Amino acid sequence: MAAVQDGQMELDAEKETKPEILSDGTSNLSGNTASGTLSSSPLTAAPAGGAPKMEDQQTLIAVLQFLKRNKLTDSVEILRREAGLGEDQEDSQATDGSGGGKGDVDGGDANSLLSRVSITSAAAPQSMPVKRADDQPDVSVVLSAYSQQGDPSLYQVYYSGLKNFIESVLDCHRAELSQLFYPLFVHMYLELVYNNHENEAKAFFEKFSGDQECYYQDDLRVLCGLTKKEHLKGNEVLLDFRTSRFVLRISRDSYQLLKRHLQERHNNQIWNIIQEHLYIDIFDGMPRSKSQIDSMSGSLAGEGRRELNKAKVFHGLLKEPEIEVPLDDEDDEAENEEGKPKKKKTKKDSLGSKSKKQDPNAPQQNRIPLPELKDSDKLDKIMYMKESTKRIRLGPENLPSICFYTLLNAYQGLTAVDFTDDSSLLAGGFADSTVRVWSVTPKKLRKVKSAADLNMIDKESDDVLERIMDEKTASESKILYGHSGPVYGVSFSPDRNYLLSSSEDGTVRLWSLLTFTCLVGYKGHNYPVWDTQFSPFGYYFVSGGHDRVARLWATDHYQPLRIFAGHLADVTCTCTRFHPNSNYVATGSTDRTIRLWDVLNGNCVRIFTGHKGPIHSLAFSPNGKFLASGSTDGRVLLWDIGHGLMIGELKGHTDTIYSLKFSRDGEILASGSMDNTVRLWNSMKAFDEVETDDFTATTGHIHLPDNSQELLLGTYHSKSTPVTHLHFTRRNLLLAAGAYNSQ
Amino acid sequence: MAEERRQKLCSVILPTESMKAMAESVGVGSLQEDSCLALSEEVSYRIKEIAQDALKFMHHGKRRKLTTGDIDHALKLKNVEPLYGFQSQEFIPFRFASGGGRELHFYEEKEVDLSDIINTPLPRVPLDVSLKAHWLSIDGVQPAIPENPPPVPKEQQKTDSTEPLKAVKPGQEEEGSIQTKGQGASSAEVKGKEKMRMKPRSTHELSVEQQLYYKEITEACVGSCEAKRAVCVCVCSQGPKFKEFCLALFIRCNIMNSKYTTKHLLFPLHELIPAVVTCIVSKQLCLRPDVDNHWALRDFAARLMAQSCKTFSTTTNNIQSRITKTFTKALLDDKTQWTTRYGCIAGLAELGHDVIKTLIIPRLSVEGARIKAVMDGPVVSNIDKIGADHVQSLLLKHCASVVAKTRPLPDMVDQYKVDYGYLGTMLCSHVVKARAQAAFQAQTVNRTTLTITQPRPTLSVSQSGLSTSSGSRAPSIIKVPSSLTLMSTRPGTPTQPSPPATKYIVMATSAGAASTQQVITLSSSQSGSPVTSTVPSTPTSLQPLVKLESGNTGAVSGSRPLQKYIVVSLPSSSSSLENKSSSVLPSSTSPISMESAVKLERSESPAANTQSH
């Protein structure tokens, strides 16, 4: 499958080059006529003579460079022979080109020449390293850069021509083709800016920015400030937008219609953009409706490619470790001593059934190496089993109680909260760079005794773990100092011995909860780290930050094990989450997409689009099949991981959703928001109501039922306290946390 | 919409003048216009970029407000050194100045004397971050505790308390729709309501010692010793076990007056209110409702309720509107018993004229029809008849004064009949009487104030028993607010010509507008306990309200001659009347008899004194 795909892409790449060369020729015609000052330019003094020929040559040289770099020597030879270029000519061309490039920049000459700058600068990578680094990172990028040259004043005509055409087509096609507006608009605008047609760019923006969908508002705000070519250099987001291809999903009929129209009109400008910068995912069948398109669109990079979401994801849960059974017997023995034989039997049965059931979707047990269970982990597992027998079964008739932990006097600003799995500890990250840990049970926090004192302890005694603790240090909360910027993410390790925190200072720190000191500072992100989270099995953790990548770490490695790159913008806060089976990591981003990454090979296996604002919260369902995401637009979207489909939309919040959590059995989804409310949703019903037949599964066309009100089970207002974190205890009591905002 | 959006998105750049000013501030004198333009474009773009990055920090800091810190961090992202000195959290103290055709915004830097800073006392250390837990929801229902926001917003509360009828009706409709739907979001609510209804009645089992204790307390409460009572109130409020039944006891013993509730805050409101409401609206309060006078208890409890509503109603607990709603709901129900109906009306009536006007008067015709059905129809039970009778007199009593005030003259019986139905006729006569009384009181007030400076008839109740006061003291008494003076009126007034019953009006001058006026009927007969009625005064009216008690009501037998004291409260401003009227003094006739009556009263029932304070 993958191989076939690759082949297609190569074909595409070949196609791309053709129209470009063609259009170069045509655009040069206009360039010739437009600029009378060509002769004054150093470029025209190049030996080849005649602008069109020279430009062809330059393109050829660029291709040669590309081939050379990729060690395709035979092809280089063939191309050189066919083009009739000598080796020396190429070199001289390169040096000349560099001179020409400089001259161009200095002279600031007519627009027609500017397109060549990119080519010449690219064609001379060695001679102009600085410029290359600044401007274009790679030759291949150059080939797809804005090198075409149409009359800038005609851009508006082109665009409005297309607009009129799309508005005149049949309704069913109009909705699909309307998707073209936004990417075309952005690319045309950037092209104008890139080619220094500042006034035309402004006019173009003025005229057409109002037509764009309202959820692109934020992007447009960024765009409107950007009017100079120099501005483009520093803006990574737009650079990515240019280099990555905007993905559109269009039915074959609609595409044919568009193609015919553009060819009839000889509208090369738009055709080129479509060829180069858009990826049109053509499908056979009925065009999609407006609502279907709207539900999926909104991201910075278009929709996810269908093939990409086809990869197999092992979303099942891992088998409970075998070791559990003898352990449970031990536990039973203990219970036997207490004289409770009845309970033992039922527990054993439930456990047996669990271990027997083999989830077909589960990954192999050793797909990624997991840490071995320690004795303390086993004890904890037993505790977990015990508690889960007392768990309340939630449902629409049986809503959970909510205990709200309010942080008072948090003037410095609470930025992140986490609870331990057994709900005994609470950690808060603050904007004043501190991390505070509270014990929410009567058990106080104690440090381990100093080394000298530890020596005096009888290590053979049974209560050695109790003896190592220093009673004098007992307190309800501890403060961890170490970061030099606001702490944006905190996460407890499953065994409650460690705490991770990520901060604006670009580090992730690992703290020991025995000594309450910092153990390791993981440096890798050079920019603020928005979030970090431990794997459900410990050892691994993931972090994501402003540098647009998520990194997978292991606590005993100072360098990341995996770097998940692909997001076009920041990987946002409380938005890097491990799948319950620890084989996948989900990240949400400011580019309004959610990506699911395979921990094993670092591949992106799912892209979910549909949010209209930066994503600020993610939660996996306990069975691993579903994902919930919340964003600044106040909506929660539900996703089926196996099929790669959106399956639900929960509307109700009026502000950013900062926390999401499924109940332990997955019946209820709780969402906490900036609008000071906690809302409970009937997630069971939401999942059940979606019928995923084969058709929707293959095409990805979904009809979302608008049933938010039916799914909403309760809304609970807090007293001007934004809800920062939610957590279900093992018995399904919902804990919420937030800082009281006195203003 | 597109238009609006386009306006928002148009790219604004800084004026070139700013560039010039900034250039000058760093020593670059002459900057060309072109350079300025280029600079301002660049600077504008960079500023926008930084602002957009700063926004990211705001979002991740989970705030709604952009701070200077966010900007610093955004600058740090760009490898730019942050700006130092902008630590102000709330606002950036830029100042605006103009002059010479130039406009400037600048940051004012004051010169600060170091010694001033050193000498100022250190500010208090801000409180440390602390963690506090509360229940946001219990089994899906949000408890009404101070940590949670009021369940309804303030506007809703306002409409609730002013127009409870409106608020009730949608609620009932809602309930209906819920039942038809029977699932979804509102099911939890329904469940909660059902639970409230199903709460079983709790029984208190008492040991022998407890019973003895109870007896002792009862005696102390009902007894005459004030000190004993105070002690027992204290004891009861501390012993949680007895609270509930002691509370009921207190209310039944009529000693639960405002003094105790406000002074000691004996019981938390949530314990107090159900008990009081029970006393108002309970179907049966005593073993023999046809004989025992439980109506008085209802009256009293209603008054207490009104008192606590005034004192304790806040936006959080919202007592008044909740109570009003409860009463209104019961009143609207056709199946409500007469006893409960009486309680509801009494409870509402005590809440003030506005409540009577909006809630009771519109119901008059309906209630009238109901009363008529009982009175004129076949006799079903004596209890019903008594109940209807009481409701009727209660309605007339409360509505007459309000109608008298709101309804323009003339009072036509026919018109009343049309407007108020069965009760119209009686109401009309009551209104006429009320108007006459008002007029008479206006008269008597004038007249009594004339007598104030008269040395002999003026009595000061606040001064224990010393009835003879000198003429020089009288003006000082009237100046002191809320001091009580007793004075006589001429017996030969047109409304009350019979010589055996003499009326005394006790006037309490008070500054507060919302004071209640107490009308005390002090009877000289030894059998009757004093009947007190309180009429809440409307804040705007300067004309005092006077309540005349006819001698035949209550437990006092009609055959005996009565002496009545009517207490009228007047706004303090009325003291100006005294000088003007001092010339007509010698007209009062029977100061001595009154004097003796007061003495008599005081010796017989001390409780009356405590109540009139």
Side-chain angles (χ1 to χ4, degrees):
Chain A
M1 178 77 193
V4 173
Q5 203 177 309
D6 279 352
Q8 266 181 347
M9 280 172 63
E10 263 170 42
L11 274 173
D12 280 351
E14 277 178 22
K15 263 188 226 159
E16 277 160 33
T17 53
K18 279 173 197 166
E20 187 176 324
I21 294 164
L22 265 175
S23 66
D24 263 357
T26 53
S27 64
N28 267 306
L29 285 175
S30 65
N32 252 339
T33 49
S35 63
T37 53
L38 259 180
S39 55
S40 69
S41 161
L43 257 181
T44 45
K53 177 119 196 299
M54 191 210 73
E55 276 205 7
D56 276 355
Q57 267 188 355
Q58 282 182 343
T59 313
L60 280 172
I61 290 164
V63 174
L64 275 175
Q65 294 275 343
F66 177 78
L67 293 174
K68 260 189 189 171
R69 177 172 301 179
N70 290 292
K71 307 249 161 45
L72 302 166
T73 43
D74 286 354
S75 310
V76 172
E77 282 303 307
I78 294 163
L79 185 62
R80 188 170 288 157
R81 205 167 47 239
E82 284 185 357
L85 287 171
E87 212 154 323
D88 50 331
Q89 195 180 3
E90 184 195 334
D91 289 342
S92 69
Q93 185 68 42
T95 44
D96 259 358
S98 70
K102 272 179 196 156
D104 246 349
V105 174
D106 292 343
D109 180 51
N111 312 326
S112 60
L113 293 178
L114 281 161
S115 63
R116 287 171 220 153
V117 174
S118 59
I119 295 172
T120 47
S121 60
Q126 277 85 29
S127 59
M128 289 183 65
V130 182
K131 187 163 169 63
R132 191 191 60 139
D134 267 359
D135 205 355
Q136 299 299 334
D138 200 271
V139 181
S140 60
V141 177
V142 173
L143 288 174
S144 66
Y146 300 112
S147 50
Q148 284 89 41
Q149 184 75 45
D151 187 348
S153 57
L154 285 178
Y155 273 54
Q156 287 193 23
V157 180
Y158 293 149
Y159 189 86
S160 51
L162 185 74
K163 196 175 142 191
N164 290 337
F165 161 70
I166 290 176
E167 274 164 7
S168 67
V169 297
L170 286 173
D171 279 359
C172 58
H173 299 300
R174 188 192 302 152
E176 290 212 308
L177 294 179
S178 299
Q179 297 176 83
L180 277 168
F181 282 139
Y182 173 70
L184 273 181
F185 170 80
V186 177
H187 280 292
M188 288 173 87
Y189 177 77
L190 288 179
E191 201 166 300
L192 284 171
V193 169
Y194 189 83
N195 293 325
N196 280 351
H197 304 301
E198 195 182 326
N199 293 330
E200 284 86 352
K202 274 182 190 166
F204 183 75
F205 190 90
E206 282 281 295
K207 192 159 180 197
F208 298 114
S209 65
D211 300 340
Q212 308 306 327
E213 299 281 356
C214 53
Y215 39 80
Y216 292 122
Q217 191 76 12
D218 287 343
D219 296 343
L220 294 181
R221 203 167 288 136
V222 175
L223 276 183
C224 83
L226 190 134
T227 51
K228 293 242 188 304
K229 189 180 169 186
E230 291 78 33
H231 296 163
L232 273 175
K233 282 180 202 162
N235 201 323
E236 294 91 353
V237 175
L238 288 176
L239 269 181
D240 274 358
F241 186 87
R242 282 170 53 202
T243 52
S244 69
R245 300 164 120 221
F246 196 94
V247 182
L248 296 167
R249 211 175 279 178
I250 291 181
S251 71
R252 188 170 298 282
D253 292 350
S254 305
Y255 181 70
Q256 294 294 346
L257 212 61
L258 174 76
K259 201 170 167 186
R260 212 175 309 133
H261 165 79
L262 290 176
Q263 279 170 351
E264 274 169 19
R265 294 285 195 86
H266 303 289
N267 203 338
N268 281 324
Q269 205 65 39
I270 286 179
W271 186 242
N272 287 333
I273 290 178
I274 290 174
Q275 288 287 311
E276 287 171 29
H277 299 297
L278 309 188
Y279 177 90
I280 297 187
D281 191 352
I282 300 162
F283 62 85
D284 294 306
M286 282 287 290
R288 292 186 296 170
S289 70
K290 175 93 180 126
S291 64
Q292 279 177 322
I293 292 167
D294 273 351
S295 66
M296 295 291 281
S297 61
S299 100
L300 193 61
E303 298 181 34
R305 298 186 190 190
R306 265 182 308 151
E307 310 88 53
L308 220 157
N309 281 354
K310 286 281 188 291
K312 167 94 177 152
V313 172
F314 302 100
H315 56 73
L317 298 185
L318 291 178
K319 238 184 343 182
E320 288 293 317
E322 289 292 327
I323 206 153
E324 196 70 15
V325 182
L327 250 172
D328 206 49
D329 284 344
E330 253 173 56
D331 183 41
D332 288 346
E333 277 166 25
E335 276 188 346
N336 262 334
E337 285 165 12
E338 288 163 27
K340 291 177 191 166
K342 263 188 189 172
K343 221 175 189 178
K344 174 191 80 179
K345 269 182 187 169
T346 54
K347 196 183 274 180
K348 211 172 191 176
D349 286 348
S350 70
L351 192 81
S353 65
K354 207 176 204 175
S355 55
K356 267 175 219 160
K357 203 166 59 186
Q358 180 64 38
D359 192 337
N361 290 314
Q364 275 183 319
Q365 205 69 17
N366 55 356
R367 190 163 176 269
I368 60 161
L370 291 173
E372 271 189 34
L373 285 178
K374 288 176 288 187
D375 285 350
S376 57
D377 297 333
K378 292 170 190 165
L379 283 172
D380 202 53
K381 277 263 189 285
I382 294 165
M383 277 302 294
Y384 177 77
M385 299 296 285
K386 274 187 184 169
E387 292 243 27
S388 52
T389 56
K390 293 174 191 163
R391 182 182 295 162
I392 302 161
R393 235 187 131 67
L394 297 178
E397 298 303 318
N398 199 6
L399 293 176
S401 300
I402 307 172
C403 181
F404 202 106
Y405 285 95
T406 312
L407 285 138
L408 299 169
N409 309 319
Y411 307 110
Q412 65 271 55
L414 176 75
T415 44
V417 175
D418 194 32
F419 281 99
T420 52
D421 188 63
D422 68 346
S423 319
S424 61
L425 302 176
L426 183 154
F430 291 86
D432 66 352
S433 329
T434 59
V435 178
R436 286 161 200 257
V437 183
W438 279 272
S439 168
V440 294
T441 57
K443 201 179 159 192
K444 297 203 166 172
L445 300 173
R446 295 169 300 175
K447 286 185 190 177
V448 171
K449 285 176 182 166
S450 67
D453 292 339
L454 283 177
N455 268 332
M456 288 148 55
I457 290 173
D458 174 17
K459 288 167 193 68
E460 300 303 313
S461 70
D462 289 339
D463 58 345
V464 66
L465 285 176
E466 192 59 31
R467 287 193 183 195
I468 57 170
M469 306 313 270
D470 189 354
E471 280 302 327
K472 276 177 277 179
T473 59
S475 63
E476 274 178 12
S477 78
K478 294 257 185 272
I479 307 179
L480 307 173
Y481 297 103
H483 281 295
S484 61
V487 178
Y488 291 115
V490 284
S491 174
F492 281 106
S493 70
D495 59 4
R496 295 186 298 285
N497 284 332
Y498 304 105
L499 174 72
L500 278 172
S501 64
S502 68
S503 159
E504 185 268 343
D505 61 14
T507 62
V508 177
R509 282 175 185 269
L510 182 74
W511 309 84
S512 163
L513 296 180
L514 292 171
T515 59
F516 291 97
T517 50
C518 182
L519 301 176
V520 196
Y522 299 97
K523 292 170 187 169
H525 293 279
N526 283 324
Y527 290 103
V529 190
W530 297 130
D531 191 31
T532 182
Q533 204 213 4
F534 255 113
S535 139
F537 299 94
Y539 185 62
Y540 298 108
F541 66 93
V542 68
S543 65
H546 177 72
D547 55 3
R548 296 175 287 155
V549 296
R551 287 165 200 247
L552 180 84
W553 310 73
T555 45
D556 56 358
H557 288 63
Y558 70 93
Q559 281 180 324
L561 306 179
R562 297 281 182 276
I563 293 179
F564 304 117
H567 278 298
L568 296 188
D570 305 31
V571 176
T572 44
C573 93
T574 59
C575 243
T576 53
R577 287 287 170 267
F578 265 100
H579 190 276
N581 68 18
S582 196
N583 279 260
Y584 298 92
V585 167
T587 57
S589 163
T590 314
D591 67 9
R592 306 185 287 270
T593 61
I594 299 155
R595 280 168 188 256
L596 191 70
W597 309 88
D598 193 335
V599 166
L600 183 67
N601 49 25
N603 286 339
C604 175
V605 287
R606 289 285 182 273
I607 299 178
F608 296 127
T609 60
H611 272 296
K612 313 287 189 260
I615 291 145
H616 274 278
S617 51
L618 283 178
F620 279 100
S621 70
N623 62 9
K625 280 185 189 160
F626 306 105
L627 180 70
S629 60
S631 89
T632 53
D633 59 10
R635 298 184 312 151
V636 178
L637 296 182
L638 302 172
W639 311 90
D640 182 330
I641 294 170
H643 296 100
L645 290 175
M646 184 197 292
I647 51 168
E649 178 188 22
L650 306 174
K651 284 186 269 193
H653 281 292
T654 55
D655 209 331
T656 310
I657 296 159
Y658 277 120
S659 52
L660 282 169
K661 197 82 181 183
F662 281 97
S663 69
R664 293 277 172 163
D665 297 320
E667 275 112 349
I668 297 239
L669 174 67
S671 60
S673 158
M674 193 77 175
D675 63 9
N676 306 340
T677 58
V678 174
R679 282 169 207 258
L680 301 177
W681 310 87
N682 189 348
S683 52
M684 251 358 216
K685 198 175 169 202
F687 296 144
D688 287 346
E689 276 183 6
V690 176
E691 69 278 10
T692 44
D693 51 47
D694 288 342
F695 175 73
T696 48
T698 46
T699 57
H701 302 169
I702 36 126
H703 291 278
L704 282 184
D706 189 15
N707 55 355
S708 297
Q709 285 314 308
E710 289 167 40
L711 296 176
L712 181 65
L713 297 177
T715 304
Y716 306 97
H717 291 264
S718 70
K719 221 173 184 176
S720 67
T721 311
V723 186
T724 314
H725 190 75
L726 291 167
H727 174 79
F728 274 97
T729 66
R730 288 168 176 176
R731 298 186 187 183
N732 264 341
L733 171 71
L734 179 57
L735 306 180
Y740 178 67
N741 190 356
S742 54
Q743 288 150 21
Chain B
M1 184 166 158
E3 198 60 38
E4 176 197 338
R5 219 184 295 155
R6 213 171 297 166
Q7 267 180 352
K8 253 198 249 168
L9 285 176
C10 69
S11 59
V12 183
I13 59 165
L14 293 170
T16 49
E17 287 81 29
S18 304
M19 293 301 120
K20 269 187 186 151
M22 282 176 218
E24 275 170 27
S25 71
V26 293
V28 179
S30 57
L31 207 60
Q32 283 183 352
E33 195 65 25
D34 288 350
S35 340
C36 277
L37 194 67
L39 259 179
S40 73
E41 275 178 11
E42 177 68 15
V43 168
S44 305
Y45 173 72
R46 296 295 164 202
I47 286 178
K48 275 178 197 167
E49 210 177 35
I50 286 164
Q52 277 153 6
D53 276 341
L55 213 61
K56 253 180 217 171
F57 283 94
M58 182 191 81
H59 277 303
H60 287 113
K62 303 191 167 93
R63 277 174 278 117
R64 277 200 196 85
K65 197 184 267 179
L66 194 73
T67 65
T68 49
D70 293 333
I71 307 246
D72 284 350
H73 290 134
L75 286 170
K76 208 171 143 192
L77 271 191
K78 301 266 169 222
N79 264 335
V80 181
E81 198 171 355
L83 298 167
Y84 298 107
F86 290 105
Q87 290 303 322
S88 173
Q89 292 281 319
E90 284 310 306
F91 75 113
I92 313 293
F94 280 118
R95 286 193 53 191
F96 175 73
S98 63
R102 291 176 66 176
E103 294 176 336
L104 264 183
H105 288 272
F106 65 95
Y107 179 50
E108 194 177 28
E109 286 176 294
K110 284 182 193 150
E111 277 188 22
V112 185
D113 194 356
L114 259 187
S115 60
D116 279 357
I117 293 180
I118 294 164
N119 290 332
T120 48
L122 286 172
R124 275 202 314 177
V125 179
L127 292 168
D128 197 18
V129 186
S130 62
L131 196 64
K132 191 173 182 297
H134 74 268
W135 289 107
L136 187 69
S137 143
I138 295 170
D139 292 333
V141 180
Q142 189 161 24
I145 48 173
E147 285 87 348
N148 286 329
V152 280
K154 274 186 184 171
E155 286 75 37
Q156 178 76 34
Q157 281 184 8
K158 206 174 164 189
T159 50
D160 274 6
S161 45
T162 50
E163 296 166 88
L165 276 176
K166 249 185 202 170
V168 167
K169 275 174 192 161
Q172 284 166 339
E173 279 160 24
E174 221 172 71
E175 223 168 319
S177 67
I178 287 163
Q179 275 154 6
T180 54
K181 230 205 267 171
Q183 57 168 2
S186 40
S187 64
E189 232 173 278
V190 173
K191 234 170 76 186
K193 273 180 192 164
E194 277 165 5
K195 259 186 204 164
M196 294 264 284
R197 276 186 212 132
M198 307 258 272
K199 194 183 173 186
R201 182 177 292 178
S202 60
T203 50
H204 300 273
E205 283 182 20
L206 297 179
S207 66
V208 183
E209 291 85 358
Q210 281 172 327
Q211 281 176 23
L212 278 175
Y213 184 60
Y214 182 80
K215 206 178 140 205
E216 285 290 321
I217 285 178
T218 317
E219 274 169 14
C221 289
V222 187
S224 54
C225 180
E226 179 64 22
K228 244 186 190 174
R229 192 174 303 142
V231 168
C232 105
V233 162
C234 267
V235 168
C236 288
S237 62
Q238 278 154 17
K241 219 175 177 185
F242 286 105
K243 253 187 188 172
E244 271 182 54
F245 74 79
C246 285
L247 183 67
L249 171 75
F250 286 148
I251 292 166
R252 283 180 198 202
C253 296
N254 277 14
I255 65 146
M256 198 62 189
N257 60 17
S258 58
K259 186 177 146 199
Y260 283 114
T261 46
T262 50
K263 222 179 189 178
H264 300 276
L265 251 182
L266 281 183
F267 303 99
L269 276 178
H270 66 268
E271 287 181 22
L272 180 77
I273 286 177
V276 178
V277 173
T278 308
C279 286
I280 300 175
V281 298
S282 177
K283 269 186 232 165
Q284 194 171 351
L285 283 171
C286 47
L287 283 175
R288 300 177 59 203
D290 47 341
V291 181
D292 293 342
N293 185 11
H294 56 95
W295 311 105
L297 173 58
R298 289 182 200 276
D299 280 338
F300 184 80
R303 212 167 304 138
L304 180 60
M305 194 68 243
Q307 185 89 32
S308 20
C309 279
K310 262 179 212 130
T311 327
F312 304 113
S313 190
T314 62
T315 50
T316 315
N317 58 29
N318 205 13
I319 296 173
Q320 174 139 8
S321 66
R322 278 155 69 189
I323 293 290
T324 321
K325 224 185 250 179
T326 314
F327 287 152
T328 320
K329 227 176 181 174
L331 194 60
L332 289 177
D333 193 349
D334 282 337
K335 293 180 191 102
T336 313
Q337 301 265 320
W338 283 109
T339 45
T340 309
R341 195 169 289 281
Y342 180 90
C344 292
I345 295 169
L348 285 173
E350 292 295 346
L351 288 172
H353 279 193
D354 287 341
V355 178
I356 296 177
K357 204 163 77 183
T358 51
L359 293 177
I360 299 181
I361 291 183
R363 301 267 316 156
L364 271 180
S365 53
V366 182
E367 295 298 328
R370 209 191 301 275
I371 292 166
K372 193 176 176 221
V374 175
M375 294 297 206
D376 302 350
V379 178
V380 184
S381 84
N382 198 26
I383 298 174
D384 272 1
K385 203 152 190 176
I386 294 171
D389 193 37
H390 271 95
V391 169
Q392 181 182 322
S393 56
L394 181 77
L395 281 173
L396 292 174
K397 187 173 99 183
H398 285 298
C399 294
S401 58
V402 179
V403 171
K405 218 170 271 168
T406 52
R407 204 182 160 89
L409 284 167
D411 297 323
M412 306 288 284
V413 179
D414 292 344
Q415 194 57 42
Y416 270 75
K417 253 187 184 165
V418 171
D419 287 355
Y420 303 115
Y422 171 71
L423 291 174
T425 334
M426 279 173 278
L427 186 64
C428 182
S429 63
H430 272 76
V431 170
V432 170
K433 226 187 250 174
R435 286 198 209 274
Q437 274 167 13
F440 155 73
Q441 268 146 30
Q443 225 178 341
T444 42
V445 164
N446 274 335
R447 220 175 294 160
T448 46
T449 40
L450 300 183
T451 61
I452 279 166
T453 42
Q454 178 74 1
R456 289 204 65 193
T458 310
L459 267 182
S460 165
V461 172
S462 55
Q463 290 188 325
S464 56
L466 290 173
S467 55
T468 50
S469 54
S470 61
S472 59
R473 277 189 57 192
S476 73
I477 287 167
I478 202 102
K479 268 174 198 162
V480 177
S482 78
S483 75
L484 293 173
T485 48
L486 267 182
M487 61 220 92
S488 70
T489 57
R490 249 201 302 198
T493 45
T495 45
Q496 201 69 298
S498 62
T502 322
K503 282 187 188 237
Y504 298 94
I505 300 175
V506 182
M507 298 194 338
T509 56
S510 72
S515 70
T516 57
Q517 297 165 340
Q518 292 201 322
V519 180
I520 304 175
T521 315
L522 301 171
S523 77
S524 58
S525 63
Q526 297 181 5
S527 61
S529 61
V531 179
T532 325
S533 72
T534 314
V535 181
S537 71
T538 45
T540 47
S541 72
L542 275 169
Q543 191 185 30
L545 262 176
V546 177
K547 192 77 208 165
L548 276 180
E549 291 280 321
S550 70
N552 291 333
T553 55
V556 187
S557 64
S559 60
R560 292 231 181 161
L562 280 178
Q563 283 183 316
K564 288 193 177 179
Y565 302 88
I566 296 174
V567 187
V568 180
S569 92
L570 274 180
S572 54
S573 58
S574 62
S575 59
S576 60
L577 286 170
E578 56 175 292
N579 290 333
K580 187 173 73 180
S581 51
S582 56
S583 58
V584 214
L585 295 177
S587 54
S588 75
T589 50
S590 60
I592 301 152
S593 65
M594 178 219 68
E595 213 173 275
S596 63
V598 167
K599 267 184 184 166
L600 188 75
E601 189 57 54
R602 198 168 285 126
S603 61
E604 276 169 350
S605 62
N609 271 340
T610 59
Q611 281 179 344
S612 62
H613 275 292

